[in-house]
Amino acid sequence: MPRLAIPVRDDVPEASKPILDAVQKQFGVVPNMLKKATHLADTSVALNRRRFSLGLPLLVAGAAAPQEVVAAKAPSRDEAPIVTYYRTKTIDGMKIFYREAGPANAPVVLLLHGFPTSSHMFRNLIPELADRYHVIAPDYPGFGQSDMPDRATFSYTFDRFGELVDGLLDALGVRRYAMYVMDYGAPVGWRLALKHPERITALIVQNGNAYEEGLKEFWDPIKAYWSDHSEEHRKALHVLVAPETTKFQYTDGVADVSRVDPDNWVHDQALLDRPGNAEIQMDLFYDYRTNLPLYPQVQAYFRKHQPPTLIVWGKNDKIFPADGAYPYKRDLPKVEFHLIDTGHFAFEDKADEMVPLIRDFLHRKIAS
């Protein structure tokens, strides 16, 4: 896989270099060895004439059965496709955009997106779930299609995001829900779980942190900003909203980049490039420090409530490496744990592996 070409200019702040190094270095990837061929023709079956004559009706029935199964699974031409609705609701004076699909009376699955994207990251997952579940995927303020108020009048914090998502769910009459959390979606989701532990029916965690073990070298420049809130360290983080870094988040650790839609980073970058949005993201990088003191509370929530949990984690992710996935096993001994051979946005190239895991998990844990 070719390396990303990111020019290091003389005017790049020294504190930015660790992030640039992380962006420039690509993981080694292991070819997918999961596909195995089954050769039934190599199996010899010895039947004597008497057994053959007695068993012929069963053999005929058995031969017909797979065709019937295939026919049963084939989609009907009359079957309507899943419809996703694109809606907006005003919460505390803020227009919150959300995608919604599925039967209104079905179990709810809340999808919480990461940085630097929006509910757009779930555009392919929603139709895979909405035949059985009522799926809701909001955009946080400053992301996607939600309002982007001036930072002088609105506090861009994870506390505020949690309050607004909670308000959206209340406005929609949602009282019980499973959560899919990824990246920034994890601290938003953890705030909901701590406030309403009785409402959480299940968790799906994809590269979303709840343990300090998951904050490795990539986070060093961000931690430096946390330490002094200086303008120098703030400027160093602007590389995180650069086009090369946005593309890096989708392609690093991916064995076959042709499986990843390039519209992803084009879409995300267009929103990052809106006037004022870069400084909004800097505010959020600084506020991320408030998540670490919550980790012990989140872990206590895991131990006490034992929510059914599925881990589907891109193991090659440099931003949230697999070091942050393993600790879930300490507090959730029944966690269903899967490391996927891909990077940060695992679903973009590994939907074929992840969808069956997610659907099976939800069917067993929350389907009515």
Side-chain angles (χ1 to χ4, degrees):
M1 175 176 165
R3 295 162 66 90
L4 293 175
I6 302 176
V8 180
R9 305 184 308 274
D10 293 337
D11 60 344
V12 173
E14 186 64 29
S16 295
K17 297 298 177 60
I19 295 176
L20 286 169
D21 289 342
V23 173
Q24 288 177 312
K25 293 179 182 176
Q26 299 291 309
F27 273 94
V29 293
V30 180
N32 186 351
M33 303 298 291
L34 297 177
K35 295 181 180 179
K36 298 180 180 178
T38 302
H39 303 287
L40 295 178
D42 293 339
T43 303
S44 60
V45 181
L47 292 174
N48 61 35
R49 188 167 301 181
R50 180 172 181 272
R51 286 177 180 172
F52 179 79
S53 62
L54 290 174
L56 183 58
L58 295 177
L59 289 172
V60 171
Q67 296 177 2
E68 294 172 2
V69 170
V70 171
K73 290 184 178 180
S76 167
R77 290 186 179 181
D78 297 329
E79 183 179 331
I82 297 295
V83 176
T84 299
Y85 296 90
Y86 306 91
R87 293 173 165 147
T88 301
K89 192 165 285 288
T90 300
I91 308 297
D92 292 347
M94 189 77 50
K95 290 182 179 179
I96 301 298
F97 172 87
Y98 61 101
R99 300 169 194 244
E100 187 173 24
N105 60 348
V108 173
V109 179
L110 175 67
L111 309 179
L112 296 174
H113 70 82
F115 166 85
T117 185
S118 63
S119 60
H120 177 264
M121 71 168 282
F122 297 116
R123 70 201 179 282
N124 296 323
L125 178 59
I126 290 171
E128 297 289 349
L129 300 181
D131 60 330
R132 293 185 179 181
Y133 306 101
H134 182 183
V135 185
I136 300 169
D139 292 347
Y140 318 133
F143 292 81
Q145 302 296 322
S146 287
D147 275 352
M148 191 184 80
D150 191 291
R151 39 193 293 272
T153 59
F154 178 82
S155 296
Y156 284 90
T157 67
F158 290 93
D159 279 347
R160 193 73 183 107
F161 286 1
E163 290 168 1
L164 289 167
V165 173
D166 190 37
L168 174 66
L169 295 174
D170 283 345
L172 297 177
V174 175
R175 295 292 180 267
R176 297 265 292 167
Y177 48 92
M179 291 195 301
Y180 184 124
V181 301
M182 187 269 173
D183 191 286
Y184 277 9
V188 174
W190 302 152
R191 283 162 170 78
L192 297 176
L194 292 176
K195 184 176 181 181
H196 305 294
E198 74 287 351
R199 296 186 181 183
I200 310 303
T201 58
L203 297 173
I204 301 169
V205 182
Q206 185 241 302
N207 300 74
N209 217 34
Y211 298 86
E212 290 199 43
E213 290 96 320
L215 301 178
K216 307 296 281 187
E217 292 82 0
F218 188 90
W219 287 81
D220 289 347
I222 302 174
K223 291 177 180 178
Y225 182 39
W226 296 345
S227 69
D228 61 8
H229 202 199
S230 70
E231 191 63 24
E232 176 189 0
H233 285 131
R234 184 181 179 94
K235 287 181 178 179
L237 299 184
H238 276 259
V239 69
L240 290 175
V241 296
E244 296 85 358
T245 307
T246 303
K247 181 177 180 180
F248 161 85
Q249 294 193 64
Y250 284 98
T251 59
D252 185 61
V254 175
D256 183 357
V257 178
S258 70
R259 293 173 65 110
V260 182
D261 185 350
D263 286 348
N264 280 300
W265 53 85
V266 173
H267 172 274
D268 290 353
Q269 194 63 43
L271 294 172
L272 287 173
D273 288 344
R274 290 176 293 175
N277 193 270
E279 294 307 318
I280 287 171
Q281 302 306 329
M282 298 305 112
D283 289 350
L284 284 167
F285 292 146
Y286 185 65
D287 190 67
Y288 199 94
R289 77 196 191 286
T290 65
N291 298 325
L292 277 66
L294 285 184
Y295 288 168
Q297 299 176 51
V298 174
Q299 295 156 21
Y301 157 76
F302 293 157
R303 290 191 296 271
K304 178 178 180 180
H305 294 275
Q306 293 296 308
T309 303
L310 172 69
I311 302 285
V312 277
W313 197 291
K315 69 178 182 179
N316 305 329
D317 186 5
K318 184 161 281 185
I319 302 168
F320 290 109
D323 305 64
Y326 291 104
Y328 283 89
K329 294 183 176 182
R330 291 201 301 256
D331 299 312
L332 295 165
K334 295 182 180 180
V335 64
E336 300 181 25
F337 189 89
H338 302 273
L339 293 182
I340 311 297
D341 186 18
T342 187
H344 187 63
F345 285 106
F347 196 83
E348 288 301 326
D349 74 313
K350 294 296 183 180
D352 55 336
E353 293 184 27
M354 293 171 64
V355 166
L357 294 172
I358 293 168
R359 284 182 61 88
D360 174 67
F361 171 77
L362 292 175
H363 179 70
R364 288 183 286 107
K365 301 301 180 181
I366 73 166
S368 57

